[in-house]
Amino acid sequence: MRLVVQGRTVTMAHLQHIHGLLGVHTQFVQIAEYAYYLPVNTEEVGAVLVFCAEQKLDCTLVPDAQRLSKFGLCVMDMDSTLICIECIDEIADMIGIKPQIAEITEAAMRGELDFAASLRKRVSLLKGLPEEALYRVIEERLKPNPGAHEWIAACKANNIKTMVVSGGFTQFANHVKDLLGLDYAVSNTLEIVDGKLTGNIVGDIVDANRKAQELLQLRDKLGLKSEQTIAIGDGANDLKMMAVAGIGIAYHAKPVVQQQATYALNYSGLDGAIYLLTL
């Protein structure tokens, strides 16, 4: 096992304190500017986890067998995972109803609402919005989350195929696919007539079940085993996808997701996933 500690605020004092808590003499190995791992032969690291949480550092135990070179597929959520916004909330802001939409989005991400029903409700409120508003959001507000480019580059370097599977919309998912150089993109299609949103979605909604299905189908198409897959997400509708993956990484996620994920990154960027799997 290795104890991975990372975060922009990590200091030598933090690492020395962790040494003291564990009572070990092995040394931390630095794997990036703000990331270290410590070889350990125990899972009794509760005090260390508490300390790191207090210090706002990401800390987790990772089996030595889990390293980037062992994986072949990474499937990721888009909104608030690969990118820094919830696209539908920003679309709503164009017509002054962001608070109403954002409240529904937040409840859905916490798992308090059925995702498909909540999405239909939110999209219905956008009826009449010009299609150009979608591209304004892309141009003015959509940015990759910190470390996204580095994470995808690491996947490519290790021959890991990448896919974004989003409960959001094709205009955004396809843009993110091109922006980050992903291999695949799956998302919802907004119905647009005469250049305006009708308030409807075309076809089946990409919900929690669909996200899991897309991962499994692509895994099988690539001839991979379950343990060779990674899923990354932040909301309750990502849980099924994460459950069928070899490992699930919660990225700045809702508590319910952090609790069920294999690993959680709460303070690091997406490049933190690289260091979880670097030995």
Side-chain angles (χ1 to χ4, degrees):
M1 301 286 286
R2 59 190 185 274
L3 181 73
V4 182
V5 179
Q6 56 183 318
R8 295 188 67 85
T9 61
V10 67
T11 65
M12 287 299 111
H14 289 135
L15 303 182
Q16 290 168 1
H17 187 76
I18 291 169
H19 266 130
L21 290 173
L22 292 174
V24 297
H25 300 291
T26 52
Q27 296 301 308
F28 273 99
V29 177
Q30 185 169 12
I31 46 180
E33 184 175 5
Y34 303 109
Y36 301 80
Y37 78 80
L38 181 70
V40 294
N41 55 13
T42 177
E43 295 187 14
E44 301 299 320
V45 296
V48 174
L49 300 180
V50 170
F51 170 72
C52 287
E54 292 172 347
Q55 300 299 311
K56 293 183 167 44
L57 298 173
D58 288 319
C59 177
T60 192
L61 277 173
V62 183
D64 287 341
Q66 288 186 351
R67 60 189 81 177
L68 273 177
S69 60
K70 300 294 185 179
F71 293 89
L73 172 64
C74 179
V75 178
M76 297 156 284
D77 173 52
M78 180 175 70
D79 295 69
S80 297
T81 301
L82 276 174
I83 62 175
C84 64
I85 61 171
E86 291 286 338
C87 290
I88 194 166
D89 295 357
E90 301 308 316
I91 298 169
D93 197 32
M94 296 291 175
I95 52 175
I97 60 170
K98 182 174 180 177
Q100 299 96 300
I101 295 282
E103 184 177 357
I104 301 172
T105 300
E106 184 70 14
M109 292 304 97
R110 292 194 301 263
E112 298 169 3
L113 297 174
D114 175 75
F115 179 81
S118 74
L119 184 63
R120 287 193 180 94
K121 181 177 180 179
R122 285 174 283 165
V123 170
S124 71
L125 297 174
L126 303 176
K127 183 178 180 179
L129 184 72
E131 183 180 7
E132 303 90 79
L134 307 180
Y135 297 101
R136 277 191 58 199
V137 171
I138 290 173
E139 293 170 6
E140 299 174 8
R141 306 187 183 191
L142 188 154
K143 295 181 181 178
N145 264 324
H149 284 287
E150 291 84 351
W151 167 240
I152 300 305
C155 286
K156 288 181 180 298
N158 286 274
N159 298 312
I160 298 171
K161 295 295 185 181
T162 53
M163 176 166 66
V164 57
V165 179
S166 174
F169 311 115
T170 53
Q171 291 85 349
F172 303 95
N174 291 339
H175 174 79
V176 169
K177 175 179 176 288
D178 293 341
L179 178 67
L180 295 175
L182 307 178
D183 296 297
Y184 307 91
V186 176
S187 58
N188 295 303
T189 301
L190 291 167
E191 184 179 63
I192 298 172
V193 176
D194 296 330
K196 293 185 178 181
L197 277 63
T198 67
N200 298 316
I201 296 172
V202 179
D204 296 333
I205 286 179
V206 179
D207 59 6
N209 288 325
R210 176 76 179 280
K211 287 189 172 191
Q213 290 168 6
E214 291 289 342
L215 187 153
L216 292 172
Q217 288 172 4
L218 185 53
R219 179 200 71 187
D220 292 345
K221 178 181 177 181
L222 296 172
L224 300 172
K225 298 177 181 178
S226 177
E227 59 265 28
Q228 293 176 285
T229 62
I230 302 167
I232 305 178
D234 74 301
N237 64 323
D238 298 316
L239 284 172
K240 290 185 177 181
M241 171 180 78
M242 294 164 72
V244 299
I247 62 170
I249 300 175
Y251 180 74
H252 294 234
K254 302 297 181 288
V256 65
V257 183
Q258 293 184 39
Q259 292 161 10
Q260 297 184 45
T262 315
Y263 307 117
L265 296 173
N266 295 324
Y267 309 107
S268 307
L270 277 168
D271 54 330
I274 303 171
Y275 312 128
L276 284 176
L277 302 172
T278 296
L279 181 60

